[in-house]
Amino acid sequence: MRSTKLSLTAARNILRAHSDLASLHRRGHRWVEAFFVKALSRLATREPRSDRRLAASGYLTLGRVHDLNGVPRAAMRAFDRGLRLAPDEPLLWRGLGAMFEAMGSYERARHAFGRALRLAPADELLRADRERADWAMLGGCPVLYAADSPSWNAMEALAAGDPEAGLAILGRRRSDAVRRARARILAVQGDVEGVVAEWRALVEQAPRVALQHADWYYTFDGEVAEDAGFWRLMLWQVRRRLDGGILVMSPTLERIDLPELKRFELYLRYQLARCERDLPALLALAGKYPAWREPGEAALLLA
């Protein structure tokens, strides 16, 4: 996606419109890098306090996106940048503490939670966070991220803007976690055939698969999202082996009262029809589910 120079008004509007985690995560990696991160940079150096606070809030949301995608180091970088702009924001300290805790740095986690608690002494959740860090220092809490994990380190490289380093870390490994990570990196690089090959191999070697937040954020985006072959794979192979997992669809589809896997099937059928420019299929979906906006909008564009 080509990025453009953002005016101050556009940067403010972007940060205000995507102040919540779900809204920002749903836009996907390319849009976030091309617009949201650029909006943050545009406002972070501004003198008006209101712009700096808005940027700090944006870094908090960006850190939460990285946390959701399982890249705590990237999340910590975002929280750190937010704290440079708003060192009195307890939620940024809390986010930083949670990332330290997830990686096993319990003393640093306790310090960050303590800073947050001093800023918001009445917050019982923060008090519970610090108590949990105290308990973890005694060896009572598992580390969520193993330092020698190739898939995790590759994803951190991707989040840091170095997909080639991520591929080098993965090497020729073929585990499920590695294939997922490789597919995400290849998607960012625009290698549709590579993504399809990794997912086909994944569903062939695993009896059940579960979609993850990072699959949506990195993979269902860019050139991959415009490829009918990818959506056929999702519809005819992945869907049949899906074992729950994270399903991130449009809000209007999510509100329709249907079983979750049925909604996922409809979403895949819509994407396939959109890529194939199948107007009858789009009209059929729009007619059967009028509250779901996207099929009707896509049909209007084609018509």
Side-chain angles (χ1 to χ4, degrees):
M1 179 181 292
R2 175 179 290 181
S3 61
T4 57
K5 182 175 176 59
L6 294 176
S7 67
L8 287 173
T9 299
R12 293 178 186 125
N13 289 340
I14 286 172
L15 296 188
R16 289 169 182 153
H18 298 89
S19 59
D20 65 288
L21 171 60
S23 171
L24 185 58
H25 195 278
R26 186 177 282 114
R27 295 308 298 259
H29 168 76
R30 292 197 176 196
W31 187 93
V32 170
E33 291 297 314
F35 295 99
F36 194 82
V37 171
K38 180 166 284 190
L40 287 174
S41 300
R42 188 81 168 89
L43 296 187
T45 56
R46 295 277 297 163
E47 287 302 323
R49 181 175 175 81
S50 59
D51 281 347
R52 291 170 67 84
R53 296 294 300 195
L54 183 58
S57 178
Y59 278 120
L60 174 63
T61 307
L62 181 63
R64 287 172 168 170
V65 165
H66 288 313
D67 178 20
L68 196 63
N69 288 332
V71 280
R73 291 176 188 149
M76 290 170 70
R77 287 194 296 272
F79 295 141
D80 274 332
R81 288 168 183 162
L83 285 168
R84 293 174 200 168
L85 302 172
D88 59 343
E89 174 51 66
L91 292 178
L92 285 165
W93 284 109
R94 185 185 190 196
L96 194 61
M99 297 303 95
F100 278 130
E101 183 181 14
M103 294 194 299
S105 298
Y106 302 124
E107 188 170 346
R108 291 183 175 183
R110 187 184 187 282
H111 170 75
F113 289 142
R115 290 290 298 268
L117 193 57
R118 285 196 291 275
L119 293 166
D123 192 322
E124 292 300 323
L125 291 177
L126 287 174
R127 194 172 303 280
D129 286 335
R130 192 175 67 174
E131 290 174 356
R132 188 179 63 251
D134 288 339
W135 180 73
M137 290 177 68
L138 301 175
C141 190
V143 177
L144 298 182
Y145 297 94
D148 60 350
S149 167
S151 57
W152 170 41
N153 285 296
M155 290 304 300
E156 290 284 4
L158 176 60
D162 195 349
E164 289 296 337
L167 288 178
I169 290 169
L170 296 175
R172 302 175 66 87
R173 296 177 177 88
R174 294 291 184 267
S175 69
D176 290 359
V178 164
R179 288 196 181 280
R180 284 178 185 275
R182 188 180 290 113
R184 296 164 190 168
I185 295 172
L186 293 175
V188 170
Q189 294 181 321
D191 184 349
V192 179
E193 290 184 2
V195 173
V196 171
E198 292 297 333
W199 269 96
R200 182 173 290 118
L202 177 64
V203 297
E204 286 175 354
Q205 73 185 31
R208 309 295 293 175
V209 296
L211 292 174
Q212 300 171 356
H213 283 294
D215 293 327
W216 290 85
Y217 185 76
Y218 288 108
T219 309
F220 292 12
D221 193 17
E223 291 90 342
V224 175
E226 302 305 318
D227 184 74
F230 173 75
W231 295 114
R232 287 194 200 95
L233 172 70
M234 288 287 139
L235 179 61
W236 299 116
Q237 294 189 44
V238 175
R239 180 178 62 88
R240 295 175 179 178
R241 297 182 181 229
L242 196 65
D243 185 20
I246 305 301
L247 304 180
V248 182
M249 291 160 280
S250 63
T252 56
L253 176 56
E254 289 174 348
R255 287 194 289 267
I256 296 176
D257 185 18
L258 290 169
E260 187 128 11
L261 290 182
K262 179 61 177 178
R263 279 201 299 269
F264 183 54
E265 178 186 347
L266 291 174
Y267 178 80
L268 298 176
R269 291 186 181 281
Y270 153 69
Q271 293 286 15
L272 182 57
R274 180 184 62 82
C275 290
E276 293 185 328
R277 303 177 68 83
D278 187 342
L279 184 57
L282 289 170
L283 289 174
L285 289 171
K288 189 169 184 179
Y289 304 99
W292 179 17
R293 287 202 328 252
E294 282 79 1
E297 292 173 352
L300 284 174
L301 288 175
L302 287 179

